[in-house]
Amino acid sequence: MNSSTYSRLVKLVTVALLLFWIAPVFASNPSPQITNFSVNPTSDIDLGSSFSVSVSATNNGASSNEGAINISFPHLNSSGDQWQISSISCPSGFTAVRRGRGDSIWHRNNYQISANYALAECYGYWAGGSSKTMTLWVQPTSTGTFTVQARSTMLRNTDSSYVSWPGSGSTDQQGWPVNQISRNVVEPTGDIWVRVRDHNGNTRSGVIVVAMGPGGTTQATTSSQGWVHFTGLETGTYDFEAYFEGSNPFDNLGELWAEARRTIGSGSNQDLLLDRNWPFATYLIVRDSSGSEISPGSTIPVDSQVTLEARVRNLTSGDKSVQVHFRLGGPTTLNETTGSQSVPRNGGERTFQRTFTVNTEGTYQKAVKTETRSNNNWIKTDAWDWSSAFKVAEQTSDIAIRIRDQNGVNRQGAIVVAIQSGSKVGEEVTNSQGLAFFNGLA
């Protein structure tokens, strides 16, 4: 490139730059252009939360005695919804206005209308070539799609008409084209970790945890470490209950171990610990008619009276009304339910007993179920599976009978008959020593 060509190129660039910088000064009309329109956050918005809107615009033409940035909200369409708009920040020297449903506003065709939905606007003198930014916060009133509309409108000083950006597209309630951004408004949700432990403080797997609250009822089963994780819970107050479904001969219902009430907020919530505290049996034993404990597997006579005894402990913070179901299983199944007793709070205990008569031979097992009164219902809070109790058998004896004659001599061949309650139960013949043996007599 020779020096002459280079000189001409420099002159052209200089002229272009001068035109760029001084064009707004010599332009006859303003020329608005939105350079930034943003809504934060960019993700779903929780109902009850506010979010920010920012609009920046530049006047690329002549100065305007009345330049404006207008932000409107079609879904804020109830009376008073304009007060969902807050923290309106206008450029220096600009005036902020807020309008709501029923307020008078101007249509682009220069006549007044009644607003259908809320809007906010910053307006004032806007010099050519300058940029302005308007920001605000807004809080939706319902779930679903929430749309934000933005435009920049300027008065032509030459003929008192208006020019607006964008020049085409969807229009707002005042008839001006607008840019739009929509967000999805959702019910706020939270999550919580729940851990379950038994009355000894050991974490327990396989426990069903039920959560009941604004979003309905949901349940989950504890892991090997005793944890469950609830996600997507609508915010509000929830009742949590822990149920253990152990094997038992009574029913398939879970045992209520613990319960708690917790308010769930948006996002992650503090962990919840459910320790077993509802009434449960600490032991189950069998006593004979004298009050002595019968060891498991011991043999007792037919028609014996036995008493099943259980001790119930209450770890809750309130006294509890409790009843106990005892069951003996064997050749026949025997059931007895106690009357109710109040078991004191904070580790208090009560003893429950019921007496049975066992008149059938065989091997017996024992089981117990604890029920606690809650909301006028009996709720199962503990149940034990079968365990060894005792054996029932006829009590027998052996006897040897000697027969002698009148001279005191042992007599062989004598017939000896055993009679019980008028009935013959045995017959034996004496041996050479004059003895007859009876075995297994009841």
Side-chain angles (χ1 to χ4, degrees):
M1 179 184 299
N2 58 41
S3 60
S4 174
T5 302
Y6 179 77
S7 176
R8 287 196 299 272
L9 180 59
V10 170
K11 289 179 181 180
L12 288 172
V13 171
T14 301
V15 169
L17 288 173
L18 286 171
L19 288 172
F20 176 80
W21 289 109
I22 68 174
V25 177
F26 294 101
S28 59
N29 292 310
S31 177
Q33 179 185 5
I34 291 180
T35 57
N36 178 70
F37 175 24
S38 61
V39 171
N40 288 299
T42 58
S43 56
D44 290 348
I45 297 164
D46 286 345
L47 183 64
S49 298
S50 296
F51 64 92
S52 65
V53 181
S54 178
V55 178
S56 296
T58 298
N59 181 2
N60 294 317
S63 297
S64 172
N65 290 334
E66 187 184 309
I69 297 175
N70 181 290
I71 305 174
S72 56
F73 307 94
H75 294 95
L76 293 182
N77 53 15
S78 295
S79 178
D81 275 358
Q82 68 269 29
W83 302 110
Q84 300 300 115
I85 306 168
S86 62
S87 302
I88 301 172
S89 176
C90 291
S92 177
F94 275 49
T95 299
V97 296
R98 182 193 284 114
R99 296 289 184 266
R101 184 179 182 87
D103 291 338
S104 293
I105 55 176
W106 287 92
H107 192 270
R108 69 175 294 181
N109 293 329
N110 202 31
Y111 57 88
Q112 284 190 311
I113 59 173
S114 181
N116 290 319
Y117 50 82
L119 64 88
E121 185 173 281
C122 291
Y123 70 93
Y125 176 79
W126 199 321
S130 64
S131 298
K132 310 290 182 183
T133 298
M134 173 184 178
T135 62
L136 56 76
W137 287 78
V138 63
Q139 185 180 74
T141 58
S142 61
T143 57
T145 300
F146 189 87
T147 300
V148 182
Q149 302 179 149
R151 59 179 168 86
S152 178
T153 304
M154 296 182 182
L155 176 71
R156 294 187 180 101
N157 297 336
T158 56
D159 60 6
S160 296
S161 63
Y162 287 87
V163 61
S164 189
W165 176 284
S168 61
S170 299
T171 58
D172 63 13
Q173 60 189 335
Q174 294 171 268
W176 294 104
V178 289
N179 288 339
Q180 293 182 331
I181 296 177
S182 293
R183 290 285 182 267
N184 189 34
V185 180
V186 298
E187 289 286 352
T189 61
D191 66 273
I192 187 171
W193 286 91
V194 181
R195 194 181 194 189
V196 180
R197 299 189 305 191
D198 63 21
H199 55 281
N200 294 315
N202 301 314
T203 55
R204 292 300 297 265
S205 62
V207 178
I208 296 174
V209 180
V210 181
M212 298 167 286
T217 299
T218 185
Q219 67 181 47
T221 304
T222 57
S223 66
S224 57
Q225 288 77 40
W227 289 98
V228 294
H229 188 204
F230 290 101
T231 61
L233 296 178
E234 290 186 20
T235 56
T237 301
Y238 281 78
D239 289 314
F240 293 89
E241 296 178 347
Y243 292 89
F244 180 73
E245 295 184 347
S247 176
N248 72 90
F250 296 96
D251 51 49
N252 294 322
L253 301 175
E255 307 164 11
L256 175 60
W257 274 19
E259 63 178 2
R261 179 166 290 179
R262 176 68 68 84
T263 298
I264 300 299
S266 180
S268 296
N269 290 262
Q270 183 179 0
D271 296 348
L272 174 62
L273 179 61
L274 293 177
D275 281 329
R276 184 181 190 183
N277 58 7
W278 277 68
F280 56 89
T282 60
Y283 69 75
L284 173 62
I285 61 174
V286 184
R287 298 188 185 276
D288 62 21
S289 57
S290 69
S292 298
E293 183 177 349
I294 299 174
S295 300
S298 298
T299 300
I300 60 175
V302 173
D303 295 327
S304 293
Q305 282 195 334
V306 296
T307 298
L308 265 64
E309 177 181 301
R311 188 78 168 165
V312 175
R313 179 179 299 161
N314 172 25
L315 296 176
T316 70
S317 59
D319 298 347
K320 297 294 184 183
S321 181
V322 173
Q323 67 179 14
V324 171
H325 299 267
F326 291 109
R327 180 168 293 184
L328 281 173
T332 59
T333 299
L334 305 175
N335 296 281
E336 289 285 349
T337 300
T338 68
S340 63
Q341 294 189 64
S342 179
V343 182
R345 70 192 73 184
N346 299 324
E349 295 185 341
R350 285 285 186 267
T351 300
F352 293 79
Q353 294 180 326
R354 294 299 288 178
T355 299
F356 299 79
T357 299
V358 285
N359 49 28
T360 304
E361 291 184 284
T363 299
Y364 286 80
Q365 294 180 307
K366 62 183 182 295
V368 63
K369 178 173 73 170
T370 301
E371 289 185 327
T372 304
R373 195 73 169 170
S374 177
N375 296 324
N376 296 319
N377 294 306
W378 288 106
I379 305 298
K380 185 173 78 171
T381 56
D382 189 28
W384 289 28
D385 204 0
W386 291 120
S387 63
S388 176
F390 48 76
K391 294 179 182 178
V392 176
E394 292 282 358
Q395 298 295 295
T396 61
S397 299
D398 299 332
I399 189 172
I401 297 177
R402 186 185 298 273
I403 301 297
R404 294 188 297 185
D405 62 16
Q406 69 275 14
N407 298 315
V409 178
N410 295 330
R411 295 303 301 264
Q412 182 179 6
I415 297 174
V416 181
V417 178
I419 298 173
Q420 184 181 47
S421 300
S423 299
K424 178 180 177 181
V425 294
E427 180 181 305
E428 298 292 340
V429 178
T430 58
N431 60 17
S432 60
Q433 286 79 38
L435 294 172
F437 294 94
F438 291 89
N439 298 316
L441 292 179

